[in-house]
Amino acid sequence: QKVSEKLTYGIFLGIRKTADSTVVAYTVGTGTDEDKIAEDSIRLICEALEQGYEKNLEQHKAWWQSFWDKSFVELEDKFFEKNWYLGNYLLGSCSRKGSYPMPLQGVWTADDGQLPPWKGDYHHDLNTELCYYSYLKANHIDEGASFVEYLLNLTDKAKAFAQDFFGAQGLCLPSVMDIEGNALGGWVMYSLSPTNQLWLCRAVEKHVDYTGDRDFLQNRAYPYIKAGGDSILSLLQENEDGKLVLPLSSSPEIHDNSLQAWLTPNTNYDLALMRAHFKSLIRLSKLLGLTEDTGKWQKAFDKLDDLHLDKDNVLLLSRDERLKESHRHIAHLMAIHPLRLIEYDSAENQTIIDASLKDLEALGTDHFCGYSFAWLAELYCVQKNGEKARRTLEIFWKYFCSPNGFHLNGDYLDKGYSKFKYRPFTLEGNFCAVDALQEMLLYSENGKIILCPAIPADWQNLSFSLRAENGVLVTADMKNGRVERLKLFAECETSFMLEGMNDKPLELHLNKGESVELNR
């Protein structure tokens, strides 16, 4: 079947019969040359038939056993535990190192004869980023590498788009694109936003932070993240106050596809991403000893405005506009999560987070999609509010996911949680929800590891094995509300503060390959 000038596919099937069995092998071959597609596919089928069913089954089971050995979660709340495992199963089913990353529907598509929802493409104003939130703490690094390697391999394409479309230096991918990185268009404010590239850069940065791979940082990740910064820096202009602002600024999906969607530069969405990006470049360039780069990024960071707050300490959309109605995309709170520019660690920050979440609650969830609830649970984790995080995830998994676990975007059971009643299937909500559960169990940012920072009061007994930053594997057992046993294994040399084991924080230094066990 010819799809386009660049793609042809075929379905190939082979049958081997013996006296007591019939074995069938099939595959889908793709490419540009029909003869080569057929040749490669038939060879693959013959090899599978020669190996036989049992051999193929052994390889299949061995892969999944290795996958499940990477981490675990054991909770008294079996509903939450089941959904953690289901989310990880979905990840292992549709994202493999060396292959393309999952689009909106992974390997599953619509069944009504039409294209998948939103063309099944790559959206970078939330969707791809949320899809690759959960793999880090779940210790499924290879599965997440699919996304990171894909982005890095598109460097030349991203540089060309930055130059051709924006006239900018550095690199920038279109925010709605096909598998080859070509722009597909859409609502221009979001499908062509230059700051969404910074969210992609953060995905690369977090991959480095959790693996601790210094060579990867120096040779591949930092040049990519730096080029993202160069792109934004070449677009910024100084205003009359000497502050750097973008010529145009928006906040994803606010005011939909209307002229009102262009907000006063810079929106808190754009501003938070730029502040986080330059802050990261300062940190990474210092780590690599790049003094000149450090000065460059510090100068840029110093010329950005502070985040825009209303008089009651609520984070605004932009300096002169506030969110006044329920909305699916919580972009104005990016600084809280995922960027964590505002941590719940000071009276000032607590005031901002508390006020912003209270305001969000007052606006209600009428126009939330399923992923909005998963994102809200992440925000409650930052606030260390385990009760609300649990309730929000419960709503998501019960009322915005079908019986098979797929996130359906809308309140399809009509339980009153959202006015969206539709059911287009996308995966980003599943993975964001899994990550929120992991955030309830383990905090790992800024040189700290905190055990069970946002769990409900009645989660008294639990166990988990998850990954923290710098390749620290954390296995913890909680009994009667107290962490009794803890095992730490370091894949890299690292130092950090540990909280949640005893009454006082504990400063630890681990060498590469070192393991330590702690008991209360």
Side-chain angles (χ1 to χ4, degrees), residues 259-310:
L259 286 176
Q260 288 70 40
W262 298 111
L263 308 182
T264 303
N266 295 311
T267 63
N268 263 343
Y269 175 77
D270 289 342
L271 187 56
L273 281 166
M274 291 189 292
R275 289 182 66 85
H277 193 77
F278 292 154
K279 186 178 178 181
S280 294
L281 283 167
I282 293 166
R283 175 178 70 90
L284 296 175
S285 61
K286 283 182 179 178
L287 190 63
L288 296 172
L290 303 173
T291 306
E292 187 175 337
D293 279 10
T294 303
K296 170 184 174 180
W297 301 120
Q298 185 67 60
K299 182 179 179 182
F301 180 85
D302 291 341
K303 286 191 172 184
L304 290 174
D305 272 319
D306 292 330
L307 294 165
H308 305 303
L309 296 173
D310 212 341

CSV table of all heavy atoms in Angstrom, one decimal, residues 259-310:
chain,number,residue,atom,x,y,z
A,259,LEU,N,-7.1,36.4,18.0
A,259,LEU,CA,-6.1,37.5,18.2
A,259,LEU,C,-5.8,37.7,19.6
A,259,LEU,O,-4.7,38.1,20.0
A,259,LEU,CB,-6.6,38.8,17.5
A,259,LEU,CG,-6.5,38.8,16.0
A,259,LEU,CD1,-7.2,40.1,15.5
A,259,LEU,CD2,-5.1,38.7,15.5
A,260,GLN,N,-6.8,37.4,20.5
A,260,GLN,CA,-6.6,37.6,21.9
A,260,GLN,C,-5.6,36.7,22.5
A,260,GLN,O,-5.1,36.9,23.6
A,260,GLN,CB,-7.9,37.5,22.7
A,260,GLN,CG,-8.9,38.6,22.5
A,260,GLN,CD,-9.5,38.7,21.1
A,260,GLN,OE1,-9.8,37.6,20.5
A,260,GLN,NE2,-9.6,39.9,20.5
A,261,ALA,N,-5.2,35.6,21.8
A,261,ALA,CA,-4.2,34.7,22.2
A,261,ALA,C,-2.8,35.2,22.3
A,261,ALA,O,-2.0,34.7,23.0
A,261,ALA,CB,-4.2,33.4,21.3
A,262,TRP,N,-2.6,36.4,21.6
A,262,TRP,CA,-1.3,37.1,21.7
A,262,TRP,C,-1.4,38.0,22.9
A,262,TRP,O,-2.1,39.0,23.0
A,262,TRP,CB,-1.0,37.9,20.5
A,262,TRP,CG,-0.9,37.0,19.2
A,262,TRP,CD1,-1.8,37.0,18.2
A,262,TRP,CD2,0.1,36.1,18.9
A,262,TRP,NE1,-1.4,36.1,17.2
A,262,TRP,CE2,-0.2,35.5,17.7
A,262,TRP,CE3,1.3,35.7,19.6
A,262,TRP,CZ2,0.6,34.6,17.1
A,262,TRP,CZ3,2.1,34.7,19.0
A,262,TRP,CH2,1.7,34.2,17.7
A,263,LEU,N,-0.7,37.5,24.0
A,263,LEU,CA,-0.7,38.3,25.3
A,263,LEU,C,0.5,39.2,25.4
A,263,LEU,O,1.4,39.1,24.6
A,263,LEU,CB,-0.7,37.3,26.4
A,263,LEU,CG,-1.8,36.1,26.4
A,263,LEU,CD1,-1.6,35.3,27.6
A,263,LEU,CD2,-3.1,36.7,26.3
A,264,THR,N,0.5,40.1,26.3
A,264,THR,CA,1.6,41.0,26.5
A,264,THR,C,2.9,40.3,26.8
A,264,THR,O,2.9,39.5,27.8
A,264,THR,CB,1.3,42.0,27.7
A,264,THR,OG1,0.0,42.7,27.4
A,264,THR,CG2,2.4,43.0,27.8
A,265,PRO,N,3.9,40.4,26.0
A,265,PRO,CA,5.2,39.8,26.3
A,265,PRO,C,5.8,40.3,27.6
A,265,PRO,O,5.7,41.4,27.9
A,265,PRO,CB,6.1,40.1,25.1
A,265,PRO,CG,5.1,40.6,24.1
A,265,PRO,CD,4.0,41.2,24.8
A,266,ASN,N,6.4,39.4,28.4
A,266,ASN,CA,6.4,37.9,28.2
A,266,ASN,C,5.3,37.3,29.1
A,266,ASN,O,5.2,37.7,30.2
A,266,ASN,CB,7.8,37.3,28.6
A,266,ASN,CG,8.9,37.8,27.7
A,266,ASN,OD1,8.8,37.8,26.5
A,266,ASN,ND2,10.0,38.3,28.4
A,267,THR,N,4.6,36.3,28.6
A,267,THR,CA,3.7,35.6,29.4
A,267,THR,C,4.5,34.8,30.5
A,267,THR,O,5.7,34.5,30.3
A,267,THR,CB,2.9,34.6,28.6
A,267,THR,OG1,3.8,33.6,28.0
A,267,THR,CG2,2.1,35.3,27.5
A,268,ASN,N,3.8,34.4,31.5
A,268,ASN,CA,4.5,33.6,32.6
A,268,ASN,C,4.9,32.2,32.0
A,268,ASN,O,5.9,31.7,32.5
A,268,ASN,CB,3.6,33.4,33.8
A,268,ASN,CG,3.8,34.3,34.9
A,268,ASN,OD1,4.9,35.0,34.9
A,268,ASN,ND2,2.9,34.5,35.8
A,269,TYR,N,4.2,31.7,31.0
A,269,TYR,CA,4.6,30.5,30.4
A,269,TYR,C,6.0,30.7,29.7
A,269,TYR,O,7.0,29.9,30.0
A,269,TYR,CB,3.6,30.0,29.4
A,269,TYR,CG,4.0,28.8,28.6
A,269,TYR,CD1,3.9,27.5,29.1
A,269,TYR,CD2,4.4,28.9,27.2
A,269,TYR,CE1,4.3,26.4,28.4
A,269,TYR,CE2,4.8,27.8,26.5
A,269,TYR,CZ,4.7,26.5,27.1
A,269,TYR,OH,5.1,25.4,26.3
A,270,ASP,N,6.1,31.6,28.8
A,270,ASP,CA,7.4,31.9,28.1
A,270,ASP,C,8.4,32.3,29.1
A,270,ASP,O,9.6,31.9,29.0
A,270,ASP,CB,7.2,33.0,27.1
A,270,ASP,CG,6.3,32.5,25.9
A,270,ASP,OD1,6.2,31.3,25.7
A,270,ASP,OD2,5.8,33.4,25.2
A,271,LEU,N,8.1,33.2,30.1
A,271,LEU,CA,9.0,33.7,31.0
A,271,LEU,C,9.6,32.6,31.9
A,271,LEU,O,10.8,32.5,32.1
A,271,LEU,CB,8.4,34.8,31.9
A,271,LEU,CG,9.3,35.5,32.9
A,271,LEU,CD1,10.4,36.2,32.1
A,271,LEU,CD2,8.4,36.6,33.6
A,272,ALA,N,8.7,31.7,32.4
A,272,ALA,CA,9.2,30.6,33.2
A,272,ALA,C,10.1,29.7,32.5
A,272,ALA,O,11.2,29.2,33.0
A,272,ALA,CB,8.0,29.8,33.8
A,273,LEU,N,9.8,29.4,31.2
A,273,LEU,CA,10.7,28.5,30.4
A,273,LEU,C,12.0,29.1,30.2
A,273,LEU,O,13.1,28.5,30.2
A,273,LEU,CB,10.0,28.1,29.1
A,273,LEU,CG,8.9,27.0,29.2
A,273,LEU,CD1,8.1,27.0,27.9
A,273,LEU,CD2,9.6,25.7,29.4
A,274,MET,N,12.0,30.4,29.9
A,274,MET,CA,13.3,31.1,29.6
A,274,MET,C,14.1,31.2,30.9
A,274,MET,O,15.3,31.0,30.9
A,274,MET,CB,13.0,32.5,29.0
A,274,MET,CG,12.5,32.4,27.6
A,274,MET,SD,12.4,34.0,26.8
A,274,MET,CE,11.1,34.9,27.7
A,275,ARG,N,13.5,31.6,32.0
A,275,ARG,CA,14.2,31.6,33.3
A,275,ARG,C,14.8,30.3,33.7
A,275,ARG,O,16.0,30.2,34.1
A,275,ARG,CB,13.3,32.2,34.4
A,275,ARG,CG,12.9,33.6,34.3
A,275,ARG,CD,12.1,34.1,35.5
A,275,ARG,NE,12.8,34.1,36.7
A,275,ARG,CZ,13.6,35.0,37.2
A,275,ARG,NH1,13.7,36.1,36.5
A,275,ARG,NH2,14.2,34.9,38.3
A,276,ALA,N,14.0,29.2,33.5
A,276,ALA,CA,14.5,27.9,33.8
A,276,ALA,C,15.6,27.5,32.9
A,276,ALA,O,16.6,26.9,33.3
A,276,ALA,CB,13.3,26.9,33.8
A,277,HIS,N,15.5,27.8,31.6
A,277,HIS,CA,16.5,27.4,30.6
A,277,HIS,C,17.8,28.1,30.9
A,277,HIS,O,18.9,27.5,30.9
A,277,HIS,CB,16.0,27.7,29.2
A,277,HIS,CG,16.8,27.1,28.2
A,277,HIS,ND1,16.7,25.7,27.9
A,277,HIS,CD2,17.8,27.5,27.3
A,277,HIS,CE1,17.5,25.4,26.9
A,277,HIS,NE2,18.2,26.5,26.5
A,278,PHE,N,17.8,29.4,31.1
A,278,PHE,CA,19.0,30.1,31.3
A,278,PHE,C,19.7,29.7,32.7
A,278,PHE,O,20.9,29.6,32.8
A,278,PHE,CB,18.8,31.6,31.3
A,278,PHE,CG,18.5,32.2,29.9
A,278,PHE,CD1,17.7,33.4,29.8
A,278,PHE,CD2,18.9,31.5,28.8
A,278,PHE,CE1,17.4,33.9,28.6
A,278,PHE,CE2,18.5,32.0,27.5
A,278,PHE,CZ,17.8,33.2,27.4
A,279,LYS,N,18.8,29.4,33.6
A,279,LYS,CA,19.3,28.9,34.9
A,279,LYS,C,20.0,27.6,34.8
A,279,LYS,O,21.1,27.3,35.4
A,279,LYS,CB,18.1,28.8,35.9
A,279,LYS,CG,18.5,28.5,37.3
A,279,LYS,CD,17.3,28.4,38.2
A,279,LYS,CE,17.6,28.0,39.7
A,279,LYS,NZ,16.4,28.0,40.5
A,280,SER,N,19.4,26.7,33.9
A,280,SER,CA,20.0,25.4,33.7
A,280,SER,C,21.4,25.6,32.9
A,280,SER,O,22.3,24.9,33.2
A,280,SER,CB,19.1,24.6,32.8
A,280,SER,OG,17.9,24.2,33.6
A,281,LEU,N,21.4,26.5,32.0
A,281,LEU,CA,22.6,26.7,31.2
A,281,LEU,C,23.7,27.2,32.1
A,281,LEU,O,24.9,26.9,32.0
A,281,LEU,CB,22.4,27.6,30.1
A,281,LEU,CG,21.7,27.0,28.9
A,281,LEU,CD1,21.2,28.0,27.9
A,281,LEU,CD2,22.6,26.0,28.2
A,282,ILE,N,23.4,28.1,33.1
A,282,ILE,CA,24.4,28.6,34.1
A,282,ILE,C,24.9,27.4,34.9
A,282,ILE,O,26.1,27.2,35.0
A,282,ILE,CB,23.7,29.6,35.0
A,282,ILE,CG1,23.4,30.9,34.2
A,282,ILE,CG2,24.7,29.9,36.2
A,282,ILE,CD1,22.4,31.8,35.0
A,283,ARG,N,24.0,26.5,35.3
A,283,ARG,CA,24.4,25.4,36.2
A,283,ARG,C,25.3,24.4,35.3
A,283,ARG,O,26.4,23.9,35.8
A,283,ARG,CB,23.2,24.6,36.7
A,283,ARG,CG,23.5,23.4,37.4
A,283,ARG,CD,22.2,22.7,38.0
A,283,ARG,NE,21.4,22.2,36.9
A,283,ARG,CZ,21.4,20.9,36.5
A,283,ARG,NH1,22.4,20.1,37.0
A,283,ARG,NH2,20.6,20.5,35.5
A,284,LEU,N,24.9,24.1,34.2
A,284,LEU,CA,25.6,23.1,33.3
A,284,LEU,C,26.9,23.6,32.9
A,284,LEU,O,27.9,22.8,32.8
A,284,LEU,CB,24.7,22.6,32.2
A,284,LEU,CG,23.4,21.9,32.5
A,284,LEU,CD1,22.6,21.7,31.3
A,284,LEU,CD2,23.6,20.6,33.3
A,285,SER,N,27.0,24.9,32.5
A,285,SER,CA,28.2,25.4,32.0
A,285,SER,C,29.3,25.5,33.1
A,285,SER,O,30.5,25.3,32.9
A,285,SER,CB,28.0,26.8,31.4
A,285,SER,OG,27.5,27.7,32.3
A,286,LYS,N,28.8,25.8,34.4
A,286,LYS,CA,29.7,25.8,35.5
A,286,LYS,C,30.2,24.3,35.8
A,286,LYS,O,31.4,24.1,36.0
A,286,LYS,CB,29.0,26.2,36.8
A,286,LYS,CG,28.8,27.7,36.9
A,286,LYS,CD,28.1,28.1,38.2
A,286,LYS,CE,27.9,29.6,38.3
A,286,LYS,NZ,27.2,30.0,39.6
A,287,LEU,N,29.3,23.4,35.6
A,287,LEU,CA,29.7,22.0,35.8
A,287,LEU,C,30.8,21.5,34.8
A,287,LEU,O,31.7,20.8,35.2
A,287,LEU,CB,28.5,21.1,35.7
A,287,LEU,CG,28.6,19.6,36.1
A,287,LEU,CD1,28.9,19.5,37.5
A,287,LEU,CD2,27.3,18.9,35.7
A,288,LEU,N,30.7,22.1,33.6
A,288,LEU,CA,31.7,21.7,32.6
A,288,LEU,C,32.8,22.7,32.5
A,288,LEU,O,33.7,22.5,31.7
A,288,LEU,CB,30.9,21.7,31.2
A,288,LEU,CG,29.8,20.7,31.0
A,288,LEU,CD1,29.1,20.9,29.7
A,288,LEU,CD2,30.4,19.3,31.1
A,289,GLY,N,32.9,23.7,33.4
A,289,GLY,CA,34.0,24.6,33.4
A,289,GLY,C,34.0,25.6,32.3
A,289,GLY,O,35.1,26.1,31.9
A,290,LEU,N,32.9,25.9,31.7
A,290,LEU,CA,32.8,26.8,30.6
A,290,LEU,C,32.5,28.2,31.1
A,290,LEU,O,31.4,28.7,31.1
A,290,LEU,CB,31.7,26.3,29.6
A,290,LEU,CG,31.9,24.9,29.1
A,290,LEU,CD1,30.7,24.5,28.2
A,290,LEU,CD2,33.2,24.8,28.2
A,291,THR,N,33.6,28.9,31.6
A,291,THR,CA,33.4,30.2,32.2
A,291,THR,C,32.7,31.2,31.4
A,291,THR,O,31.9,32.0,31.8
A,291,THR,CB,34.8,30.7,32.7
A,291,THR,OG1,35.4,29.7,33.5
A,291,THR,CG2,34.6,32.0,33.6
A,292,GLU,N,33.1,31.3,30.1
A,292,GLU,CA,32.6,32.3,29.2
A,292,GLU,C,31.1,32.1,29.0
A,292,GLU,O,30.3,33.0,29.0
A,292,GLU,CB,33.3,32.2,27.9
A,292,GLU,CG,32.9,33.4,26.9
A,292,GLU,CD,33.8,33.3,25.6
A,292,GLU,OE1,34.9,32.8,25.7
A,292,GLU,OE2,33.3,33.9,24.6
A,293,ASP,N,30.7,30.8,28.8
A,293,ASP,CA,29.3,30.5,28.7
A,293,ASP,C,28.5,30.9,29.9
A,293,ASP,O,27.4,31.4,29.8
A,293,ASP,CB,29.1,29.0,28.4
A,293,ASP,CG,29.3,28.7,27.0
A,293,ASP,OD1,29.8,29.5,26.2
A,293,ASP,OD2,29.0,27.5,26.6
A,294,THR,N,29.1,30.6,31.1
A,294,THR,CA,28.4,30.9,32.3
A,294,THR,C,28.1,32.4,32.4
A,294,THR,O,26.9,32.8,32.8
A,294,THR,CB,29.2,30.5,33.5
A,294,THR,OG1,29.5,29.1,33.5
A,294,THR,CG2,28.5,30.8,34.8
A,295,GLY,N,29.0,33.3,32.1
A,295,GLY,CA,28.8,34.7,32.1
A,295,GLY,C,27.7,35.1,31.1
A,295,GLY,O,26.9,36.0,31.4
A,296,LYS,N,27.7,34.5,29.9
A,296,LYS,CA,26.7,34.8,28.9
A,296,LYS,C,25.3,34.5,29.4
A,296,LYS,O,24.4,35.4,29.2
A,296,LYS,CB,27.1,34.0,27.6
A,296,LYS,CG,26.0,34.1,26.6
A,296,LYS,CD,26.4,33.2,25.4
A,296,LYS,CE,25.3,33.1,24.4
A,296,LYS,NZ,25.7,32.2,23.2
A,297,TRP,N,25.1,33.4,30.0
A,297,TRP,CA,23.8,33.0,30.4
A,297,TRP,C,23.4,33.7,31.6
A,297,TRP,O,22.2,34.0,31.8
A,297,TRP,CB,23.7,31.5,30.6
A,297,TRP,CG,24.1,30.7,29.3
A,297,TRP,CD1,25.1,29.8,29.1
A,297,TRP,CD2,23.4,30.8,28.0
A,297,TRP,NE1,25.1,29.4,27.8
A,297,TRP,CE2,24.1,30.0,27.1
A,297,TRP,CE3,22.4,31.6,27.6
A,297,TRP,CZ2,23.7,29.8,25.8
A,297,TRP,CZ3,22.0,31.4,26.2
A,297,TRP,CH2,22.7,30.6,25.4
A,298,GLN,N,24.3,34.0,32.5
A,298,GLN,CA,24.0,34.8,33.7
A,298,GLN,C,23.5,36.2,33.3
A,298,GLN,O,22.5,36.7,33.9
A,298,GLN,CB,25.2,34.9,34.6
A,298,GLN,CG,24.9,35.6,35.9
A,298,GLN,CD,24.0,34.8,36.8
A,298,GLN,OE1,24.3,33.7,37.2
A,298,GLN,NE2,22.8,35.4,37.2
A,299,LYS,N,24.2,36.8,32.3
A,299,LYS,CA,23.8,38.1,31.8
A,299,LYS,C,22.4,38.1,31.3
A,299,LYS,O,21.5,39.0,31.5
A,299,LYS,CB,24.8,38.6,30.8
A,299,LYS,CG,24.5,40.0,30.3
A,299,LYS,CD,25.5,40.4,29.2
A,299,LYS,CE,25.3,41.8,28.7
A,299,LYS,NZ,26.3,42.2,27.6
A,300,ALA,N,22.1,37.1,30.5
A,300,ALA,CA,20.7,36.9,29.9
A,300,ALA,C,19.7,36.7,31.0
A,300,ALA,O,18.6,37.3,31.0
A,300,ALA,CB,20.7,35.8,28.9
A,301,PHE,N,20.0,35.8,32.0
A,301,PHE,CA,19.0,35.6,33.0
A,301,PHE,C,18.7,36.8,33.8
A,301,PHE,O,17.6,37.1,34.2
A,301,PHE,CB,19.6,34.5,34.0
A,301,PHE,CG,18.7,34.2,35.1
A,301,PHE,CD1,17.7,33.2,35.0
A,301,PHE,CD2,18.9,34.8,36.4
A,301,PHE,CE1,16.9,32.9,36.1
A,301,PHE,CE2,18.1,34.5,37.4
A,301,PHE,CZ,17.1,33.5,37.3
A,302,ASP,N,19.7,37.7,34.1
A,302,ASP,CA,19.6,38.9,34.9
A,302,ASP,C,18.7,39.9,34.2
A,302,ASP,O,18.1,40.8,34.8
A,302,ASP,CB,20.9,39.5,35.2
A,302,ASP,CG,21.7,38.6,36.2
A,302,ASP,OD1,21.1,37.8,36.9
A,302,ASP,OD2,23.0,38.8,36.2
A,303,LYS,N,18.5,39.8,32.9
A,303,LYS,CA,17.7,40.7,32.1
A,303,LYS,C,16.3,40.3,31.9
A,303,LYS,O,15.5,41.0,31.2
A,303,LYS,CB,18.4,41.0,30.8
A,303,LYS,CG,19.6,41.9,30.9
A,303,LYS,CD,20.1,42.4,29.5
A,303,LYS,CE,21.2,43.4,29.6
A,303,LYS,NZ,21.6,43.9,28.3
A,304,LEU,N,15.9,39.2,32.5
A,304,LEU,CA,14.5,38.7,32.4
A,304,LEU,C,13.7,39.2,33.6
A,304,LEU,O,14.3,39.4,34.7
A,304,LEU,CB,14.5,37.2,32.4
A,304,LEU,CG,15.0,36.5,31.2
A,304,LEU,CD1,15.0,35.0,31.4
A,304,LEU,CD2,14.2,36.8,29.9
A,305,ASP,N,12.5,39.5,33.4
A,305,ASP,CA,11.6,39.9,34.5
A,305,ASP,C,11.4,38.8,35.4
A,305,ASP,O,11.6,37.6,35.1
A,305,ASP,CB,10.2,40.3,33.9
A,305,ASP,CG,10.1,41.8,33.5
A,305,ASP,OD1,10.7,42.6,34.2
A,305,ASP,OD2,9.5,42.1,32.4
A,306,ASP,N,11.0,39.2,36.7
A,306,ASP,CA,10.5,38.2,37.6
A,306,ASP,C,9.2,37.7,37.1
A,306,ASP,O,8.5,38.3,36.3
A,306,ASP,CB,10.4,38.8,39.0
A,306,ASP,CG,11.8,39.1,39.6
A,306,ASP,OD1,12.7,38.4,39.3
A,306,ASP,OD2,11.8,40.1,40.4
A,307,LEU,N,8.8,36.5,37.6
A,307,LEU,CA,7.4,36.0,37.3
A,307,LEU,C,6.4,37.0,37.7
A,307,LEU,O,6.5,37.7,38.7
A,307,LEU,CB,7.2,34.7,38.0
A,307,LEU,CG,8.1,33.5,37.5
A,307,LEU,CD1,8.1,32.4,38.5
A,307,LEU,CD2,7.8,33.1,36.1
A,308,HIS,N,5.3,37.1,36.9
A,308,HIS,CA,4.2,38.1,37.1
A,308,HIS,C,3.3,37.6,38.2
A,308,HIS,O,2.7,36.5,38.0
A,308,HIS,CB,3.5,38.4,35.8
A,308,HIS,CG,4.4,38.8,34.7
A,308,HIS,ND1,5.2,39.9,34.8
A,308,HIS,CD2,4.6,38.3,33.5
A,308,HIS,CE1,5.9,40.0,33.7
A,308,HIS,NE2,5.5,39.0,32.8
A,309,LEU,N,3.1,38.3,39.2
A,309,LEU,CA,2.2,38.0,40.3
A,309,LEU,C,1.1,39.1,40.4
A,309,LEU,O,1.4,40.3,40.3
A,309,LEU,CB,2.9,37.9,41.7
A,309,LEU,CG,4.0,36.8,41.8
A,309,LEU,CD1,4.7,37.0,43.2
A,309,LEU,CD2,3.3,35.5,41.8
A,310,ASP,N,-0.1,38.7,40.8
A,310,ASP,CA,-1.2,39.6,41.1
A,310,ASP,C,-1.0,40.1,42.5
A,310,ASP,O,-0.2,39.5,43.3
A,310,ASP,CB,-2.6,39.0,40.9
A,310,ASP,CG,-3.6,40.0,40.5
A,310,ASP,OD1,-3.4,41.2,40.7
A,310,ASP,OD2,-4.7,39.5,40.0
